[in-house]
Amino acid sequence: AVVSTQSTGADIYNKIHLDKKWEVIWVTHDKNETDADEYFKEMPWIRLPWSEVATRGASMFKLTKRSYIPSLTMISPDFKIVNAEAVSDTEDDPDGFPWPWP
Protein backbone atom coordinates (compact mmCIF):
# COMPACT_ATOMS: atom_id res chain seq x y z
CA ALA A 1 0.00 0.00 0.00
CA VAL A 2 1.20 3.35 -0.81
CA VAL A 3 -0.06 6.90 -0.55
CA SER A 4 -0.82 8.65 -3.85
CA THR A 5 2.54 10.36 -4.11
CA GLN A 6 5.54 8.45 -2.93
CA SER A 7 7.17 11.49 -1.31
CA THR A 8 4.01 12.34 0.64
CA GLY A 9 3.71 8.76 1.81
CA ALA A 10 7.36 8.62 2.78
CA ASP A 11 7.08 11.90 4.69
CA ILE A 12 4.07 10.67 6.67
CA TYR A 13 5.66 7.28 7.27
CA ASN A 14 8.94 8.76 8.52
CA LYS A 15 7.05 11.09 10.82
CA ILE A 16 4.87 8.53 12.59
CA HIS A 17 5.89 4.91 12.09
CA LEU A 18 8.25 4.52 15.06
CA ASP A 19 6.47 6.81 17.48
CA LYS A 20 2.99 5.46 16.76
CA LYS A 21 3.96 1.80 16.19
CA TRP A 22 2.46 1.98 12.70
CA GLU A 23 3.90 0.10 9.74
CA VAL A 24 3.34 0.14 6.00
CA ILE A 25 3.73 -3.10 4.08
CA TRP A 26 4.05 -2.48 0.39
CA VAL A 27 2.37 -5.02 -1.89
CA THR A 28 3.37 -4.52 -5.49
CA HIS A 29 1.22 -4.80 -8.57
CA ASP A 30 4.25 -4.65 -10.83
CA LYS A 31 4.42 -7.29 -13.55
CA ASN A 32 7.97 -8.38 -12.74
CA GLU A 33 10.42 -8.36 -9.87
CA THR A 34 12.90 -6.05 -11.59
CA ASP A 35 10.32 -3.27 -11.91
CA ALA A 36 9.16 -3.83 -8.32
CA ASP A 37 12.75 -3.66 -7.05
CA GLU A 38 13.41 -0.46 -8.99
CA TYR A 39 10.31 1.28 -7.64
CA PHE A 40 10.76 0.00 -4.10
CA LYS A 41 14.36 1.14 -3.61
CA GLU A 42 13.15 4.68 -2.84
CA MET A 43 10.55 3.63 -0.27
CA PRO A 44 11.25 3.71 3.48
CA TRP A 45 8.78 0.98 4.48
CA ILE A 46 8.89 -2.80 4.32
CA ARG A 47 7.54 -4.89 1.49
CA LEU A 48 5.94 -8.21 0.87
CA PRO A 49 8.59 -10.47 -0.70
CA TRP A 50 8.18 -10.94 -4.45
CA SER A 51 7.77 -14.69 -3.91
CA GLU A 52 4.57 -13.99 -1.93
CA VAL A 53 2.94 -11.41 -4.19
CA ALA A 54 0.86 -13.90 -6.19
CA THR A 55 -0.41 -15.66 -3.06
CA ARG A 56 -0.37 -13.53 0.07
CA GLY A 57 -0.45 -10.27 -1.91
CA ALA A 58 -3.49 -11.38 -3.89
CA SER A 59 -5.21 -12.32 -0.62
CA MET A 60 -4.48 -8.87 0.81
CA PHE A 61 -5.93 -7.13 -2.25
CA LYS A 62 -8.99 -9.39 -2.03
CA LEU A 63 -9.35 -8.63 1.70
CA THR A 64 -9.18 -4.90 1.09
CA LYS A 65 -11.32 -5.05 -2.06
CA ARG A 66 -8.78 -2.91 -3.87
CA SER A 67 -8.24 -3.39 -7.58
CA TYR A 68 -6.39 -0.14 -8.19
CA ILE A 69 -3.12 1.40 -7.16
CA PRO A 70 -2.03 3.33 -5.34
CA SER A 71 -4.16 2.51 -2.35
CA LEU A 72 -3.64 2.52 1.37
CA THR A 73 -5.82 0.45 3.65
CA MET A 74 -5.19 0.24 7.37
CA ILE A 75 -5.41 -3.34 8.62
CA SER A 76 -5.15 -4.48 12.23
CA PRO A 77 -2.69 -7.21 13.27
CA ASP A 78 -5.59 -9.69 13.19
CA PHE A 79 -6.37 -8.70 9.56
CA LYS A 80 -9.51 -6.67 10.14
CA ILE A 81 -10.05 -3.55 8.03
CA VAL A 82 -9.43 -0.52 10.24
CA ASN A 83 -9.66 2.22 7.63
CA ALA A 84 -10.47 1.45 4.00
CA GLU A 85 -9.95 5.06 2.93
CA ALA A 86 -6.56 5.75 4.46
CA VAL A 87 -5.22 7.35 1.27
CA SER A 88 -7.65 10.26 1.41
CA ASP A 89 -7.40 10.51 5.20
CA THR A 90 -3.60 10.74 5.13
CA GLU A 91 -3.63 13.25 2.29
CA ASP A 92 -6.41 15.40 3.78
CA ASP A 93 -4.96 15.41 7.29
CA PRO A 94 -1.37 14.13 7.40
CA ASP A 95 -1.02 15.25 11.03
CA GLY A 96 -4.27 13.60 12.12
CA PHE A 97 -2.95 10.18 13.07
CA PRO A 98 -4.64 8.00 14.01
CA TRP A 99 -6.92 8.62 11.08
CA PRO A 100 -10.53 7.56 11.58
CA TRP A 101 -10.86 4.16 13.18
CA PRO A 102 -14.23 2.45 13.12
Side-chain angles (χ1 to χ4, degrees), residues 31-58:
K31 301 293 182 207
N32 61 65
E33 188 172 10
T34 302
D35 289 347
D37 289 345
E38 182 66 26
Y39 190 66
F40 179 73
K41 71 182 180 182
E42 298 179 22
M43 297 180 190
W45 37 76
I46 61 176
R47 74 189 265 190
L48 190 68
W50 179 259
S51 62
E52 297 179 22
V53 168
T55 55
R56 189 175 267 176

Side-chain angles (χ1 to χ4, degrees), residues 3 21 25 32 34-36 38 41 45 48 52-53 55 57-59 64 66 70 73-74 77 80 97 99:
V3 181
K21 296 181 177 133
I25 302 170
N32 61 65
T34 302
D35 289 347
E38 182 66 26
K41 71 182 180 182
W45 37 76
L48 190 68
E52 297 179 22
V53 168
T55 55
S59 295
T64 63
R66 297 292 180 237
T73 303
M74 295 177 81
K80 295 200 181 344
F97 184 89
W99 300 283

Side-chain angles (χ1 to χ4, degrees), residues 8-24:
T8 301
D11 292 343
I12 293 169
Y13 176 85
N14 288 330
K15 182 176 179 179
I16 67 170
H17 96 279
L18 289 176
D19 183 48
K20 304 296 185 182
K21 296 181 177 133
W22 184 75
E23 187 59 78
V24 169

